[in-house]
């Protein structure tokens, strides 16, 4: 639970813009990311990462700030060519683990923005 002095002090639109600018720098060059504020939760973001090449997967994540520094990352969906795929395969799980690491790295790089 967030204590009052460790609350997220940035509005969700500015936070989404900061993520949109930072995330491409921590991802593979060929991957694409789209970051949007979560309309239901002001301390959460929706992130879609699209892989390049023949695989053409889309990974949807929800990133929720637990406090001004820590982010909880949840996989929402994985799609390929507009259809859902089995998220339990080793290939998908390895990609998910990799992207979760990148999302945490992005959050770390934004500490100066989120932690005042």
């Amino acid at each position: 639970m967030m204590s009052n002095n460790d609350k997220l002090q940035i509005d969700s639109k500015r936070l989404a813009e900061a993520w949109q600018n930072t995330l491409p720098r921590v991802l593979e060059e060929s991957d694409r990311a789209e970051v949007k504020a979560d309309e239901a939760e002001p301390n959460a973001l929706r992130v879609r990462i699209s892989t390049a090449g023949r695989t053409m997967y889309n990974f949807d994540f929800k990133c929720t700030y637990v406090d001004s520094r820590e982010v909880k990352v949840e996989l929402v969906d994985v799609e390929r060519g507009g259809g859902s795929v089995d998220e339990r395969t080793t290939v998908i799980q390895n990609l998910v683990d990799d992207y979760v690491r990148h999302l945490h790295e992005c959050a770390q790089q934004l500490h100066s923005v989120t932690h005042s």
Side-chain angles (χ1 to χ4, degrees), residues 1 3 17 20 25-27 34 44 46 50 52 55 64 68-69 71 75 77 80-81 86 95 98-99 101-102 109-110:
M1 195 75 199
S3 66
E17 287 171 6
Q20 184 66 60
R25 290 184 286 205
V26 298
L27 292 174
E34 183 181 355
R46 297 291 179 155
S50 302
T55 58
T64 307
S68 68
R69 292 176 187 252
V71 70
L75 176 67
D77 193 25
R80 183 178 189 180
D86 184 357
L95 285 167
D98 203 34
Y99 288 135
R101 239 187 339 273
H102 290 313
Q109 288 190 18
L110 290 169

Side-chain angles (χ1 to χ4, degrees), residues 18-30:
W19 271 73
Q20 184 66 60
N21 291 331
T22 305
L23 188 56
R25 290 184 286 205
V26 298
L27 292 174
E28 297 295 323
E29 223 176 274
S30 56

Side-chain angles (χ1 to χ4, degrees), residues 30 51-58 79-81:
S30 56
T51 62
R54 289 188 297 250
T55 58
M56 294 177 49
Y57 288 113
N58 290 312
E79 296 176 347
R80 183 178 189 180

Side-chain angles (χ1 to χ4, degrees), residues 23 26-28 31 49 51 57 59-61 63 73-78 87-106:
L23 188 56
V26 298
L27 292 174
E28 297 295 323
D31 292 338
I49 299 174
T51 62
Y57 288 113
F59 294 83
D60 293 319
F61 294 94
C63 300
V73 178
E74 299 168 81
L75 176 67
V76 176
D77 193 25
V78 181
E87 298 163 11
R88 297 166 298 191
T89 67
T90 304
V91 170
I92 297 293
Q93 284 303 306
N94 288 342
L95 285 167
V96 167
D97 290 346
D98 203 34
Y99 288 135
V100 167
R101 239 187 339 273
H102 290 313
L103 292 166
H104 281 288
E105 190 179 331
C106 183

Side-chain angles (χ1 to χ4, degrees), residues 2-7 9 68 115-116:
M2 268 193 236
S3 66
N4 282 344
N5 63 349
D6 202 20
K7 266 184 147 161
Q9 300 289 331
S68 68
H115 186 77
S116 49

